[in-house]
Amino acid sequence: MRVPVGDPAAGPPVAADPAHARRVVAVEKPDTGVADEDGYLYGYRLWQARLYPEAETQLKQVVSDYPKSKRASYAQNLLGRSYLDDGKSNSAATAFYESYKKFPDGERAPDSLYYLATTLMKLNKPADACKVYGELTDVYGTKVTPAMKADVAKGRVAAKCA
């Protein structure tokens, strides 16, 4: 189902950029019949299309409407990624921290800590990034993938962690 630009479900209206409006219309809303899944997937598609404000609105809605859903952890983490990709590092840091705090057992909790540390480095806060890398290792050390372990090791070197 395509969502018309004027539809409230599409998020805030896009005024001046017709190309942007066409991209919003081109992002199809999924219809699996599972509301939390559809909401997350739509937010993901908006993020993939680099329609960050629309993705952020959609992802916040998923977290708000389905806080106990498996997809809430995914949506909160992707909200942080959207902010980060949109150049909003302070908002990204907050979203990643909230993801970890709200959903410590969520599937994206380790990713949220990793991206929080990455964001803190962008904000020139290496000491804080080191604390987050330590938390990630302490809490999720046995659950993280080998690739993430390697990324954490690189991040710790870049942050000059002890």
Side-chain angles (χ1 to χ4, degrees), residues 21-92:
R22 282 191 299 275
R23 287 190 9 233
V24 171
V25 171
V27 176
E28 290 197 31
K29 280 187 113 173
D31 188 12
T32 67
V34 181
D36 59 333
E37 184 73 10
D38 289 346
Y40 169 73
L41 290 174
Y42 185 50
Y44 180 82
R45 290 175 182 177
L46 289 165
W47 172 73
Q48 273 188 314
R50 297 182 179 162
L51 297 167
Y52 302 124
E54 293 83 359
E56 292 154 12
T57 298
Q58 179 64 31
L59 295 165
K60 286 179 197 174
Q61 191 69 47
V62 170
V63 174
S64 173
D65 289 353
Y66 310 103
K68 296 191 185 306
S69 165
K70 166 186 171 177
R71 286 302 188 185
S73 173
Y74 283 79
Q76 184 68 39
N77 175 267
L78 190 56
L79 175 62
R81 298 273 311 269
S82 183
Y83 284 137
L84 191 59
D85 292 346
D86 199 17
K88 301 173 183 171
S89 296
N90 286 321
S91 294

Side-chain angles (χ1 to χ4, degrees), residues 124-162:
N124 199 27
K125 296 182 177 185
D128 291 337
C130 289
K131 290 177 189 174
V132 173
Y133 284 131
E135 180 84 1
L136 173 59
T137 302
D138 291 347
V139 176
Y140 302 108
T142 61
K143 296 180 182 180
V144 297
T145 65
M148 184 179 282
K149 283 182 183 179
D151 289 342
V152 168
K154 287 179 195 170
R156 290 179 65 81
V157 169
K160 300 179 180 162
C161 302

Side-chain angles (χ1 to χ4, degrees), residues 84-107:
L84 191 59
D85 292 346
D86 199 17
K88 301 173 183 171
S89 296
N90 286 321
S91 294
T94 299
F96 290 130
Y97 179 75
E98 286 179 6
S99 181
Y100 172 59
K101 285 306 198 183
K102 286 181 185 177
F103 310 107
D105 297 322
E107 291 183 34

